[in-house]
Amino acid sequence: MARTAIVTGGTRGIGEAICLALQDAGVAVAATYAGNAARAADFTERTGIRAFCWDVADHAACQQGCAEVEAALGPIDIVVNNAGITRDGTLMKLSYEAWKAVIDTNLGGCFNMAKATFPGMRARRWGRIVNIGSINGQAGQYGQVNYAAAKSGIHGFTKALAQEGAKIGVTVNAIAPGYIDTDMVAAVPADVLDKIVARIPVGRLGQAHEIARGVVFLCSEEGGFVTGSTLSINGGQHMY
């Protein structure tokens, strides 16, 4: 049976890799983006995957956006909550606005997307939700109290919602990536990045396609006995 997926923040980095991997697995995919229309248009031209613009932190926009995707592609069977932002700073320097923006997008986006799609999955008695957490949500990270709190919250959200979905064929899992070779990581100063890589036992950054392969498995029929789990893909940097 053909499935339909939404990947939030799907037009770049890890999100793009997830979109392509699901497409290769025969899934009809929609990607969301928040504002870079030129990047989204390039993504669609290269991949043939439609991109829809809305802010996952906006509850009403998620309801409306998911309805538009369903009208275009059919009922939503798979949601990958990948969209995320950073607003780093130590607690003493962190503004309330920076705290709220990260919590609302990274954690609130998971809630908003689940609220928009879980009822349909429940009615059809099949669904897959994969939430992208982070090694920094497991281990913490200096200067990221907002980001670490949001990502840690994702892991708790995953375990709780998995219990609601288990008996109705809806699995809910998380993936906690380590440091992946994306634009965000590329922006880290070289000397700092060298220190990060030195702490990774396998001796390198991860690749976006390595996260995507984990997502594809969790979204597959074969992944149906896995729920409430967090898959850590971090090169051994944090064994949780």
Side-chain angles (χ1 to χ4, degrees):
M1 178 184 296
R3 303 292 186 187
T4 298
I6 292 181
V7 180
T8 67
T11 62
R12 57 190 295 180
I14 292 173
E16 178 175 341
I18 292 169
C19 285
L20 292 173
L22 287 170
Q23 184 184 58
D24 287 347
V27 176
V29 183
T32 79
Y33 67 101
N36 192 332
R39 181 72 176 256
D42 175 70
F43 164 83
T44 297
E45 184 176 352
R46 287 186 291 103
T47 66
I49 296 171
R50 289 187 60 176
F52 296 77
C53 182
W54 75 79
D55 181 358
V56 297
D58 184 329
H59 184 77
C62 289
Q63 295 284 331
Q64 180 179 342
C66 287
E68 291 175 0
V69 171
E70 290 202 332
L73 300 178
I76 298 164
D77 307 295
I78 297 165
V79 173
V80 183
N81 286 309
N82 169 73
I85 61 172
T86 56
R87 299 287 187 273
D88 293 350
T90 60
L91 181 64
M92 293 300 293
K93 296 180 178 180
L94 192 70
S95 68
Y96 173 73
E97 290 74 19
W99 166 267
K100 189 174 187 300
V102 169
I103 296 295
D104 288 353
T105 298
N106 297 13
L107 180 56
C110 292
F111 170 81
N112 292 337
M113 290 298 297
K115 283 289 285 186
T117 58
F118 190 83
M121 295 178 184
R122 178 185 178 91
R124 295 185 297 275
R125 302 188 69 82
W126 199 96
R128 300 285 188 265
I129 298 175
V130 179
N131 304 311
I132 305 301
S134 171
I135 187 175
N136 292 344
Q138 297 173 312
Q141 177 61 43
Y142 183 90
Q144 284 194 325
V145 291
N146 49 1
Y147 185 83
K151 292 298 189 177
S152 181
I154 284 174
H155 300 310
F157 174 88
T158 296
K159 293 177 186 299
L161 187 57
Q163 295 179 53
E164 297 184 31
K167 291 185 178 180
I168 55 171
V170 180
T171 68
V172 187
N173 292 287
I175 289 181
Y179 286 87
I180 307 301
D181 190 10
T182 62
D183 291 344
M184 183 183 298
V185 172
V188 174
D191 59 329
V192 176
L193 191 58
D194 288 344
K195 293 176 182 177
I196 290 172
V197 173
R199 298 199 302 268
I200 302 173
V202 301
R204 64 173 177 85
L205 297 174
Q207 299 296 314
H209 66 82
E210 294 175 303
I211 307 302
R213 282 201 294 264
V215 172
V216 170
F217 168 70
L218 292 174
C219 293
S220 68
E221 297 289 345
E222 292 79 5
F225 198 59
V226 183
T227 197
S229 294
T230 295
L231 174 59
S232 296
I233 306 178
N234 60 35
Q237 184 176 356
H238 182 69
M239 301 182 187
Y240 181 79

